[in-house]
Amino acid sequence: MTQPQYALAFDTANETIAIGVGLLDADTCTVRLVASAEAAARRASNTQLLPRIDALLAEAGVARGDIACVCVGRGPGSFTGVRIAMATAKGVASALEVGLVGVSTLDAVAWGCWARGVRGRVLVAADAMRKEVYPVEFSLDEAGVERLGNDRVVKAAEAAEEFAEFGSSAEESGGAFSRSELSAGESGACSVAQTGFASLQNSLGEHTPDSPAAARDFDAFNARGTRFVNTPPDSSAAGEGFVANSSAASSGEKKGCSRVVAGRGVVGDALRKYADLFAACGTILPEDLWTPTGEGLLLALQAAWRSGAADPFDAARHNPAFALPVYTRLSDAEEAERVRASKVDPTLAGARGSKHVTMNDTAVANARANSAGVAYKPLDRAHAAHVAALEAQVMGSDAWNEALVADELGRADRVWWAAYAADPSAPLPADAPLVGYAGGWVVDGDVQILKVGVAPDARRRGIAAELVARVAADARNLGARTSSLEVRAGNTGAQAFYETLGYASLGKRPRYYSDGEDALIMKAGVLPTAARAGAHGVAGMSIVNYAEAGSSAAELGEPFSRSDSPGSRESAAGAFGSCGTRFVNDPPSPAATEESGSSAAVFPAYPLILAIESSCDETAAAVVDGSGALLSDVVASQIDFHARFGGVVPEIASRKHIEAICGVCDECLDVAAAQMGLAPGGLRWRDLSAVAVTYAPGLVGALVVGVAFAKGAAWALDVPFIGVHHLEGHLYANKIGAPDFAPPAVVSLVSGGNTLLVHMKDWGNYTTLGATIDDAVGEAFDKVAKALGLGYPGGPVISKSAAQGNAQAIAFPRAMMHSGDLRFSLSGLKTAVVTYVNGERAAGRELSVPDVCASFQQAVVDVQVAKAKRALEETGARTFCLGGGVAANPVLRAAYEDLCAKMRVRLVMPPLHSCGDNAGMIALVALDRYRQGKFFGLDADALAHADLDEAY
């Protein structure tokens, strides 16, 4: 007998946790509701979601191994809530090696109404904060749910006015709103997938199916490009309805109750704030219909399945990495950037040359060219004339003039990027020549590529592909899920190029161009992404492996052992076995090894622990074995995405973590497999003994992604979940370069967010001796680099420039040098540098940037070294260590070498690549905590702040 297979669905896009478990029937494409639960989250989704899933599955008698598909609500909704659900779902689906299907939260609300007997027009208005809503109207009939619009964000008052204006449309067309509490089975209703093709694309965020039905839908697009209704794939689907088993239907609660209301029904959690506004839009339905339900999520999954837009059993098609949240808008920083770029503002192009400049003035001008000598920036108004000139050169009679280009900038539904030629070793100059541009218009879930132009002498360098990918990336955040364009029918070269990006021909538009030539219409069902030649990449970032190159599997430790020490398995089982937690996993089987093509695999000592770091702007993962050897240590850095803002943008960081985390973990496992002598895929999630993650401190929006993903994976594997303090990770990073390192020691932690001296009395026993009272060292470097127009991050660029300067040229203050304690202050030094720079420019004197950098850097180093000397004297420690990104500064490292040599103290420094944030250091902490049995529960959450001195 075939083992039953189930779909697990959940959503946390608003203040409600919705969970559903459904039995999958592949023959009829039916999802039968087995169990569902809804509960108020009240900003506690990350602590409640997995425990509630666990309880519901236990109640339903469904085991983790019975789950064949995970379905998640992708939003729109609360950004934090959406990320919690998405990250958890990605972790669960990845670890179980099943597909992850994303559905629209708003669709789930509409299907929930349908399951409760609602028929007619229904407006779903979800709360978008900032006095905005996500409004989508649906039509509900006995056949199912039809979406009548795409996801978007609108001011609440404007949305209410819009739908009040058209509120009588249903009545005028002869339609009426009706609501019945009869179940689908009792009323004879059958759930045929009537949700629109484009709305399914918009809700799934995954590959568009190449099917005849899909082609027919494309052919049926009307002149305005509206694409809402998708007919059933075939007539055999009719009559095979969703087997409803809701509590109301099964218990007969309110059975037979019905009422008819003319016009439209209104639901959605936005009504908690704006019920009075939307009262004019229709009948406000009962509050229990306002948020998603487990039943509604499963119905939305079934609709996608029946339309061909999803297949719960196709894990490859629904790779968890493909699923992304619905945002409907850019981050606040990007929106503000677009507003500035649309204005004629000389500070955007040449702030570094002005006589008085604040640090923020130069942030937008700090783009840097890549190794190919090309810098990419959102197009600004100052370069509209440059685009028009290049247009005239490459577009002929169809070229836009400057006014047309300028009119595009600043529009909420437009995205424009430009490429400039520049020296990679220096900031982008104000007069850098424009060598390419691209623009897109987001409408009805599609980004229409309006223009792509590259200067003739700059072609064949990947510029056009990169520009299109950047337009598509922004368009995705504005709700686009597909892309379309027109190209001259005779331009076969351009057509071939677009085909490489995933575009396919749909047909011709006769005499479209000004000279009468036909246009070939091309469409991509998946938005193009940036390619990273010669490197593993994810979400537009290159992945770097920091595990020591050249260490063979035989050098990684003892031959394979199923426990990290004699008797450890038995003791662990005795202490924790009653919880049902599995601590030791079997190694990959010999059969699996043979299938992988490896005949000389060497397995490391167990346990095998995967650790994740996502506290700031790096998405990192590492695997450590029981001997403490790092089998892999990979990092995907987001620096390129933050550089143009002059610092880390928390919202962008969180978004990029969601995009990258699956790919980073997959690469991490593959690198570890290679170290073990296995082929890619030879090391699987099921071979892990535990999953660890940084839980604090850091950017909460970034930490949440890592914590939710790691918890989901640990839950799916039924292995321990380990939380690690980020700063303790930096202490352990010293073991990467010196495996014999052990406390007691004094450690200097200097990074973008932290500057402190720590007395390590033992592993896990720390006392903070002193910390900064304002800016951290790394923060001061970034701010000074901004003031000098050197770009971001500030540490490397200031260090490079300082190497050419005189450290004694300018007498900058050494704050708190003689304070008598071990505290630091960097704010005054930073202000002194900015004041000096502005004073020199105001006086008309030429500024020596290298001298400023060298003098500033030396002032920082002098204070750090003086405080370190005092700490060593007070504690009597005979070992001194470093940690944090600034620990890579060569002048600081050299100064500490001199200090320790004079004091005859051992100096331990992490390898340069281990100074910044990485998962290797988190994995080493996790290994110790695993051995100590210090695990977190599934109700753990991310914390922005956590005292290193307190045990956890």
Side-chain angles (χ1 to χ4, degrees):
M1 182 177 179
T2 304
Q3 181 76 14
Q5 293 182 293
Y6 297 86
L8 169 64
F10 50 88
D11 187 298
T12 61
N14 47 46
E15 288 299 293
T16 299
I17 295 175
I19 310 170
V21 180
L23 182 63
L24 299 168
D25 187 333
D27 295 330
T28 61
C29 295
T30 298
V31 185
R32 182 172 69 83
L33 180 66
V34 173
S36 67
E38 292 78 39
R42 298 185 179 87
R43 298 183 180 272
S45 297
N46 209 17
T47 62
Q48 295 187 29
L49 178 58
L50 281 169
R52 290 186 180 276
I53 289 175
D54 224 15
L56 186 64
L57 287 176
E59 178 185 331
V62 176
R64 294 170 176 83
D66 297 332
I67 297 172
C69 171
V70 177
C71 173
V72 64
R74 299 174 51 246
S78 158
F79 286 173
T80 299
V82 171
R83 282 176 201 135
I84 289 169
M86 289 295 300
T88 303
K90 282 172 177 275
V92 172
S94 295
L96 291 179
E97 298 181 0
V98 301
L100 173 58
V101 179
V103 299
S104 166
T105 296
L106 305 187
D107 286 3
V109 173
W111 277 109
C113 291
W114 183 91
R116 293 285 298 275
V118 176
R119 301 295 181 266
R121 291 225 173 189
V122 173
L123 170 64
V124 180
D127 187 13
M129 308 302 288
R130 299 191 291 192
K131 297 183 179 180
E132 294 177 327
V133 297
Y134 304 111
V136 175
E137 191 173 21
F138 297 84
S139 176
L140 283 58
D141 59 22
E142 294 305 312
V145 172
E146 176 187 337
R147 175 185 268 251
L148 304 178
N150 283 287
D151 294 322
R152 58 193 175 116
V153 62
V154 186
K155 289 295 183 183
E158 294 175 9
E161 182 179 358
E162 173 189 343
F163 286 98
E165 179 180 350
F166 296 100
S168 61
S169 59
E171 186 175 8
E172 291 171 354
S173 63
F177 167 78
S178 65
R179 182 173 186 271
S180 169
E181 293 295 343
L182 295 176
S183 71
E186 293 164 330
S187 66
C190 57
S191 171
V192 180
Q194 298 262 348
T195 304
F197 180 78
S199 70
L200 283 171
Q201 288 179 327
N202 199 31
S203 65
L204 291 167
E206 294 158 353
H207 289 295
T208 304
D210 297 323
S211 65
R216 287 196 300 272
D217 288 323
F218 279 130
D219 293 339
F221 292 170
N222 64 28
R224 292 183 297 115
T226 306
R227 39 185 92 81
F228 299 130
V229 180
N230 183 40
T231 56
D234 55 64
S235 59
S236 65
E240 296 174 356
F242 179 93
V243 183
N245 190 29
S246 67
S247 58
S250 60
S251 67
E253 181 183 353
K254 298 182 181 179
K255 187 174 180 179
C257 175
S258 64
R259 57 195 174 100
V260 177
V261 181
R264 176 197 292 119
V266 184
V267 296
D269 66 327
L271 296 178
R272 296 192 178 106
K273 294 180 180 178
Y274 310 115
D276 291 343
L277 277 177
F278 284 95
C281 300
T283 302
I284 305 294
L285 300 187
E287 190 169 353
D288 60 354
L289 297 175
W290 290 3
T291 54
T293 62
E295 186 174 21
L297 289 164
L298 293 171
L299 276 165
L301 171 63
Q302 179 179 267
W305 193 5
R306 294 191 162 197
S307 73
D311 182 349
F313 294 105
D314 193 338
R317 174 180 173 185
H318 298 295
N319 186 315
F322 296 161
L324 295 173
V326 175
Y327 290 117
T328 72
R329 59 186 170 209
L330 302 175
S331 67
D332 290 349
E334 290 168 307
E335 288 183 348
E337 177 187 48
R338 295 306 195 276
V339 171
R340 291 194 302 268
S342 67
K343 301 175 181 178
V344 180
D345 186 347
T347 64
L348 300 183
R352 285 180 299 277
S354 62
K355 292 185 178 181
H356 184 83
V357 58
T358 66
M359 287 175 293
N360 290 327
D361 285 334
T362 62
V364 179
N366 283 339
R368 281 181 177 270
N370 58 21
S371 59
V374 181
Y376 296 91
K377 288 174 50 180
L379 180 64
D380 59 63
R381 177 64 179 83
H383 289 91
H386 300 253
V387 171
L390 188 50
E391 270 274 289
Q393 183 180 0
V394 301
M395 296 295 179
S397 59
D398 294 294
W400 287 7
N401 59 34
E402 180 181 352
L404 287 174
V405 174
D407 185 61
E408 289 284 302
L409 304 180
R411 291 180 177 243
D413 56 357
R414 303 294 204 277
V415 178
W416 284 83
W417 277 83
Y420 303 87
D423 180 358
S425 65
L428 183 69
D431 58 352
L434 182 138
V435 294
Y437 58 91
W441 175 24
V442 180
V443 57
D444 290 339
D446 182 80
V447 55
Q448 299 178 10
I449 303 299
L450 300 173
K451 292 283 184 179
V452 182
V454 178
D457 59 354
R459 292 175 183 172
R460 301 189 182 280
R461 295 166 63 183
I463 294 175
E466 181 69 23
L467 287 168
V468 171
R470 289 181 181 245
V471 168
D474 284 350
R476 179 183 289 108
N477 288 335
L478 292 173
R481 293 294 171 260
T482 61
S483 180
S484 59
L485 54 84
E486 290 91 17
V487 61
R488 285 180 176 270
N491 191 346
T492 56
Q495 293 165 28
F497 163 71
Y498 289 123
E499 287 174 357
T500 66
L501 299 182
Y503 290 85
S505 174
L506 289 182
K508 290 184 178 179
R509 183 166 293 167
R511 303 183 62 80
Y512 177 77
Y513 291 100
S514 58
D515 58 3
E517 184 174 358
D518 295 346
L520 185 68
I521 303 171
M522 303 186 75
K523 192 172 188 75
V526 179
L527 292 176
T529 56
R532 300 299 182 198
H536 293 289
V538 60
M541 297 175 279
S542 295
I543 298 179
V544 179
N545 176 35
Y546 287 145
E548 289 187 6
S551 57
S552 66
E555 296 170 336
L556 293 175
E558 298 296 323
F560 166 70
S561 168
R562 293 189 63 191
S563 60
D564 54 340
S565 62
S568 63
R569 185 182 185 190
E570 288 72 19
S571 63
F576 305 100
S578 61
C579 301
T581 303
R582 176 164 50 95
F583 294 93
V584 180
N585 298 59
D586 291 332
S589 66
T593 302
E594 291 174 6
E595 291 174 5
S596 74
S598 173
S599 60
V602 177
F603 299 111
Y606 267 59
L608 281 180
I609 301 173
L610 183 142
I612 296 167
E613 155 62 29
S614 69
S615 64
C616 192
D617 60 342
E618 276 91 19
T619 310
V623 171
V624 66
D625 75 354
S627 73
L630 290 174
L631 305 185
S632 60
D633 186 6
V634 302
V635 176
S637 175
Q638 304 173 6
I639 284 179
D640 289 348
F641 297 94
H642 301 281
R644 71 181 193 264
F645 300 102
V648 176
V649 180
E651 174 66 17
I652 294 176
S654 184
R655 292 187 181 201
K656 299 309 293 184
H657 286 308
I658 278 284
E659 294 178 37
I661 196 162
C662 287
V664 167
C665 288
D666 288 345
E667 178 71 7
C668 176
L669 291 173
D670 283 347
V671 170
Q675 291 282 9
M676 296 165 62
L678 299 171
L683 179 65
R684 301 167 70 175
W685 283 92
R686 66 186 64 176
D687 300 316
L688 298 174
S689 308
V691 180
V693 70
T694 300
Y695 81 95
L699 303 175
V700 170
L703 288 166
V704 158
V705 175
V707 169
F709 180 92
K711 283 200 303 181
W715 173 84
L717 298 172
D718 195 16
V719 299
F721 169 60
I722 302 172
V724 174
H725 193 291
H726 179 74
L727 296 183
E728 186 174 22
H730 279 301
L731 301 182
Y732 270 72
N734 288 280
K735 294 181 69 174
I736 297 176
D740 64 334
F741 163 67
V746 169
V747 185
S748 172
L749 292 181
V750 279
S751 66
N754 300 279
T755 297
L756 62 161
L757 283 165
V758 177
H759 185 200
M760 291 183 68
K761 300 173 184 177
D762 198 354
W763 296 116
N765 185 358
Y766 315 119
T767 299
T768 299
L769 303 173
T772 180
I773 62 175
D774 40 55
D775 290 349
V777 170
E779 187 179 5
F781 270 85
D782 289 341
K783 290 179 177 178
V784 169
K786 271 189 184 182
L788 294 171
L790 296 179
Y792 172 86
V797 293
I798 284 182
S799 177
K800 183 177 180 180
S801 180
Q804 309 301 318
N806 178 7
Q808 309 304 320
I810 308 164
F812 289 132
R814 272 68 170 161
M816 302 188 74
M817 172 82 89
H818 306 291
S819 62
D821 57 29
L822 295 174
R823 294 179 302 159
F824 302 88
S825 175
L826 280 300
S827 180
L829 171 59
K830 172 259 299 179
T831 300
V833 175
V834 174
T835 300
Y836 174 83
V837 169
N838 288 334
E840 291 298 292
R841 286 172 174 162
R845 291 188 288 267
E846 183 176 353
L847 185 69
S848 173
V849 173
D851 284 353
V852 174
C853 290
S855 299
F856 161 73
Q857 179 177 257
Q858 192 61 51
V860 172
V861 169
D862 287 350
V863 176
Q864 293 295 311
V865 171
K867 299 284 185 174
K869 181 175 183 294
R870 184 183 182 93
L872 287 167
E873 291 171 343
E874 289 184 1
T875 62
R878 306 309 302 160
T879 301
F880 183 75
C881 304
L882 299 181
V886 183
N889 183 283
V891 174
L892 182 63
R893 292 170 81 95
Y896 280 138
E897 288 176 352
D898 290 342
L899 171 68
C900 291
K902 291 175 181 177
M903 297 186 70
R904 297 188 178 182
V905 168
R906 181 189 182 191
L907 174 63
V908 178
M909 296 187 289
L912 292 178
H913 62 71
S914 297
C915 292
D917 294 347
N918 64 89
M921 64 187 192
I922 304 302
L924 293 175
V925 179
L927 179 59
D928 275 0
R929 297 187 70 81
Y930 179 93
R931 289 169 173 158
Q932 297 159 6
K934 294 182 177 179
F935 308 134
F936 278 27
L938 296 177
D939 59 351
D941 205 354
L943 299 175
H945 306 284
D947 192 340
L948 177 63
D949 298 5
E950 295 181 4
Y952 64 100

